[in-house]
Every structure is written in C-alpha cells, then in structure tokens.
Amino acid sequence: QVQLVESGGGSVQAGGSLKLSCVVSGYGSEYDSLCMGWFRQVPGKEREGVASIDRGGRVNYGDFVKGRFTISKDNIKHVLYLQLNSLEPEDSAMYYCATFRSYMCPARLVAAVFQAWGQGTQVTVLS
C-alpha cells in the first residue's frame, strides 16, 4: 500500500528555516521511476505547486520560490525533502508531498496530475 508521511513542519520567525521530510513507502522498486513534488495550500485557496524532482534529479520550482527552497531526495531511504529558507509570513500553509508515476515531472506543477498524497504538515511563519 502506497503511503506518504510528511514531518518537519512547525512555527518559525520570519527569515527562519525549516526542513520538511516525506517518507515514501509501498512502491518497491518503482520508487526510482517516480516524479515527486511538494505542494502547499491555505484555506480557501487552490493547492499550489512548490517544487518537483524527477528520476534523474531534475528540479522545478514555483515562481514564488525565488531560490529560497531546495527539493531533494534520498533514493536509499526513500525520503523526499524540502529545505525552506528565508521564510516569509506568506509561506504559511499546509505543505503536502505527492507522487506521480512518471520518469519525468510535468512542466507545470499542477496538483491534479499527482496521484498519491500525504496528510500534510503545517508551516507557520510569524512576522
């Protein structure tokens, strides 16, 4: 059974950093073929693409990231990471990891394309 479990969220002052983790299980050897991504959502708004990483390590970021966040993965431990730096109050949201069964990630970070989701981890940035 596919399962994605996020952790690492919390409250931080503006300008601070957090590192989110997502343990991905249930794919077996198929893990190496996944596109994986991070999304975020605030109440009343659509889920927004933050970053994605494909089988070859190619990454893509939402325009709002502006070099502040870094997506990475550990192919041995099957863990997806999102390093959040220079956080702003506008970054406060529920952050979700997600997977898409494809060697390559879509050019646009569209939530509807991704097939499996975690339960989310809350990030709150205090001004």
Side-chain angles (χ1 to χ4, degrees):
Q1 181 179 354
V2 171
Q3 192 172 19
L4 286 69
V5 180
E6 302 97 334
S7 62
S11 295
V12 64
Q13 293 290 329
S17 299
L18 286 172
K19 187 171 186 176
L20 308 183
S21 300
C22 173
V23 178
V24 180
S25 61
Y27 283 105
S29 59
E30 192 180 3
Y31 173 90
D32 293 335
S33 304
L34 295 173
C35 162
M36 294 186 284
W38 287 96
F39 291 79
R40 68 185 189 182
Q41 190 172 25
V42 296
K45 292 191 175 182
E46 292 187 358
R47 199 161 289 191
E48 179 179 43
V50 179
S52 66
I53 185 167
D54 70 9
R55 178 191 186 189
R58 287 177 290 268
V59 299
N60 185 28
Y61 294 96
D63 291 339
F64 61 88
V65 171
K66 298 179 182 178
R68 299 180 299 133
F69 302 166
T70 303
I71 188 171
S72 62
K73 60 178 179 171
D74 186 324
N75 289 333
I76 303 299
K77 297 180 179 178
H78 289 193
V79 181
L80 178 70
Y81 299 102
L82 184 67
Q83 177 68 46
L84 306 171
N85 296 329
S86 301
L87 283 164
E88 304 167 352
E90 294 74 21
D91 294 318
S92 296
M94 186 72 78
Y95 283 71
Y96 300 90
C97 62
T99 57
F100 171 48
R101 280 189 167 98
S102 173
Y103 289 124
M104 296 179 64
C105 291
R108 293 180 61 226
L109 290 162
V110 177
V113 172
F114 286 74
Q115 298 149 333
W117 294 84
Q119 81 290 347
T121 186
Q122 178 68 39
V123 171
T124 302
V125 184
L126 308 172
S127 58

